[in-house]
């Protein structure tokens, strides 16, 4: 039911004696239950790199609603898929507290988004900043100048806060990544499940105009 009520500039409510009829379509926003930051919205265009040393690569992100992380993800280049890769993924708070670790196991021939499922979901607070990352001793992918500012997926659920959202750190596994370079995206992502599914506010989708006269109420 949608209630439309007119009030005057002094916020006086009318006395209702009858209700005009009104027909509109009302639907909930078409937002999926599980949302990623980069996939499937961005076409991969990273280059293969190798620093010949242990490095942790990640993405800083925030969420606009409370929810839980169920999976960690990173992109494996096709040119890096000739052998088996075993890499650790990590989820951190903004102060470097390690919240979760999961293992990626990629067989020969597997490339694209690699997924590591967490043993138990990690609850995230809306508006807090987190970092998702993975460790590697050799190859990784990178796209310079990707994060030119804040980045947000189309549903407005997950966002990378600024041009320094792509982060890295040299050191043993695990090392909290905090350095950034030239807005580089290292193609690390999460699967985020919203906790407000089923409670989203409705949206009026009818193209038909309607009028609610002053001192009247319309119900659909």
């Amino acid at each position: 039911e949608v209630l439309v009520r007119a009030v005057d500039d002094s916020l006086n409510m009318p006395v209702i004696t009858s209700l005009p009829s009104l027909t509109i379509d009302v639907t909930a926003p078409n937002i999926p239950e599980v949302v990623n930051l980069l996939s499937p919205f961005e076409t991969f265009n990273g280059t293969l790199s190798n620093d010949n040393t242990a490095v942790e690569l990640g993405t800083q992100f925030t969420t606009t609603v409370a929810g839980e992380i169920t999976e960690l993800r990173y992109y494996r280049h096709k040119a890096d898929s000739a052998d088996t890769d075993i890499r650790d993924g990590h989820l951190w708070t903004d102060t470097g507290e390690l919240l979760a670790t999961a293992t990626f196991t990629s067989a020969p021939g597997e490339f694209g988004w690699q997924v590591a499922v967490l043993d138990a979901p990690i609850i995230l607070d809306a508006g807090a900043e987190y970092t998702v990352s993975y460790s590697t001793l050799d190859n990784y992918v990178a796209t310079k100048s990707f994060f030119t500012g804040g980045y947000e997926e189309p549903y407005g659920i997950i966002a990378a806060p600024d041009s320094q959202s792509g982060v890295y750190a040299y050191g043993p596994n695990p090392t909290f990544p905090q350095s950034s370079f030239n807005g580089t995206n290292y193609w690390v992502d999460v699967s985020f499940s919203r906790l407000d599914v089923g409670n989203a506010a409705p949206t009026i989708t009818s193209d038909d105009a309607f009028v609610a006269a002053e001192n009247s109420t319309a119900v659909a």
Side-chain angles (χ1 to χ4, degrees):
E1 180 181 76
V2 175
L3 181 66
V4 180
R5 171 170 287 184
V7 297
D8 63 20
D9 292 340
S10 299
L11 301 181
N12 295 313
M13 289 289 183
V15 176
I16 305 302
T17 57
S18 63
L19 298 178
S21 62
L22 173 66
T23 301
I24 57 177
D25 297 323
V26 180
T27 61
N30 187 26
I31 301 175
E33 180 178 350
V34 179
V35 179
N36 308 112
L37 176 65
L38 298 168
S39 173
F41 318 110
E42 293 293 333
T43 300
F44 174 73
N45 63 348
T47 57
L48 191 62
S49 302
N50 191 328
D51 294 344
N52 296 308
T53 189
V55 62
E56 188 95 17
L57 305 146
T59 306
Q60 295 175 342
F61 69 95
T62 63
T63 65
T64 57
V65 297
E68 59 186 24
I69 296 295
T70 57
E71 297 174 342
L72 310 183
R73 301 159 61 87
Y74 85 93
Y75 201 97
R76 189 189 195 198
H77 201 288
K78 185 176 182 179
D80 184 35
S81 62
D83 57 0
T84 298
D85 276 338
I86 299 177
R87 298 176 176 179
D88 287 337
H90 306 106
L91 182 67
W92 315 78
T93 68
D94 62 340
T95 59
E97 177 187 356
L98 183 59
L99 297 176
T101 298
T103 301
F104 297 94
T105 302
S106 304
E110 291 183 343
F111 62 93
W113 286 106
Q114 307 299 292
V115 177
V117 180
L118 299 181
D119 291 337
I122 301 296
I123 302 297
L124 302 190
D125 296 325
E129 187 173 292
Y130 300 89
T131 297
V132 57
S133 65
Y134 75 98
S135 298
T136 179
L137 294 172
D138 42 51
N139 297 318
Y140 63 90
V141 295
T143 303
K144 292 181 180 179
S145 302
F146 181 94
F147 294 116
T148 56
Y151 172 90
E152 187 176 74
E153 45 76 22
Y155 301 110
I157 302 297
I158 312 178
D162 52 43
S163 60
Q164 301 180 44
S165 296
V167 288
Y168 69 92
Y170 294 109
N173 174 17
T175 299
F176 179 49
Q178 300 181 79
S179 300
S180 63
F181 175 72
N182 197 26
T184 300
N185 177 15
Y186 299 105
W187 297 90
V188 195
D189 205 344
V190 292
S191 294
F192 177 75
S193 298
R194 296 158 46 226
L195 296 182
D196 65 343
V197 175
N199 296 314
T203 299
I204 299 175
T205 59
S206 173
D207 293 329
D208 298 330
F210 65 89
V211 176
E214 186 175 358
N215 295 328
S216 66
T217 300
V219 177

